[in-house]
Amino acid sequence: MAASKISDASLTCTGMKGKHLCGQGDRMENVEIRRFVAQDRDWLAAEHRESYARAEGFDTSFGVLVASILDDFLDQHDPTCERGWIAWQEGQRLGSIFCVKLDDQTAKLRLFLLTEKARGKGLGQRMLAQCMGFAQAQGYSEMKLWTHESHRAAGALYAKNGWQLMSSEPVVSFGQPLIEQHWEITL
């Protein structure tokens, strides 16, 4: 399933007397999806660390991994073919998603996160479409991602958008027994 083409410019959906832009129905209003900037780094690392420690019992190694991914992105990403976004509403960050290059044909979806208050309201779909649309516009022919089976809502979102679960295997990561998953999609 091809992602819809979405401009790289920041997007805002505003409800107007029952009519909503961006096709979100009764969803989050006035949410901007803007580019990730260096000032988002500490919040994003902390939000990942704290959310996953609270929800899944992840140890501190997870926060260290996320901080390292963010530092590498800030130091080495190619803005012509890699991008990160932050969902933003009324001065608050609500989530993130990143598209990074694996090779000339393949992009990797990384650091997809929504805060608890932003979940289940259509924002994840919007962010996924933004990321996939960017990857397609940059000429990538496929995308891959790595996640855990416990992220059932994310898995359902990926499947709904045409992603295929390629493998699942039991692992011990971040101090927890988990089922690691690898997903792919042809753009």
Side-chain angles (χ1 to χ4, degrees), residues 42-62:
D42 291 346
W43 171 83
L44 190 51
E47 188 67 29
H48 270 85
R49 181 182 63 246
E50 294 163 12
S51 292
Y52 283 91
R54 183 176 51 253
E56 301 197 35
F58 282 13
D59 65 22
T60 58
S61 67
F62 183 68

Side-chain angles (χ1 to χ4, degrees), residues 20-134:
H20 295 263
L21 304 175
C22 302
Q24 293 304 315
D26 239 354
R27 305 296 185 174
M28 297 195 81
E29 296 180 14
N30 302 318
V31 175
E32 176 185 4
I33 299 176
R34 62 162 174 80
R35 282 192 191 189
F36 168 83
V37 295
Q39 293 78 7
D40 297 316
R41 183 249 187 234
D42 291 346
W43 171 83
L44 190 51
E47 188 67 29
H48 270 85
R49 181 182 63 246
E50 294 163 12
S51 292
Y52 283 91
R54 183 176 51 253
E56 301 197 35
F58 282 13
D59 65 22
T60 58
S61 67
F62 183 68
V64 171
L65 173 64
V66 171
S68 174
I69 291 167
L70 290 168
D71 290 341
D72 288 347
F73 182 84
L74 287 167
D75 291 342
Q76 302 169 13
H77 86 281
D78 178 349
T80 65
C81 62
E82 298 178 302
R83 190 110 347 125
W85 296 270
I86 297 291
W88 179 267
Q89 181 184 48
E90 298 174 3
Q92 289 190 309
R93 295 172 182 97
L94 300 175
S96 67
I97 195 166
F98 284 69
C99 178
V100 297
K101 180 180 181 175
L102 282 179
D103 60 46
D104 288 343
Q105 298 302 312
T106 310
K108 184 174 185 178
L109 187 154
R110 297 196 95 170
L111 302 173
F112 191 9
L113 175 79
L114 292 176
T115 61
E116 286 184 34
K117 81 176 207 172
R119 294 177 189 159
K121 299 176 181 173
L123 182 57
Q125 175 63 52
R126 239 182 97 200
M127 294 183 76
L128 182 59
Q130 176 81 17
C131 187
M132 291 173 62
F134 173 81

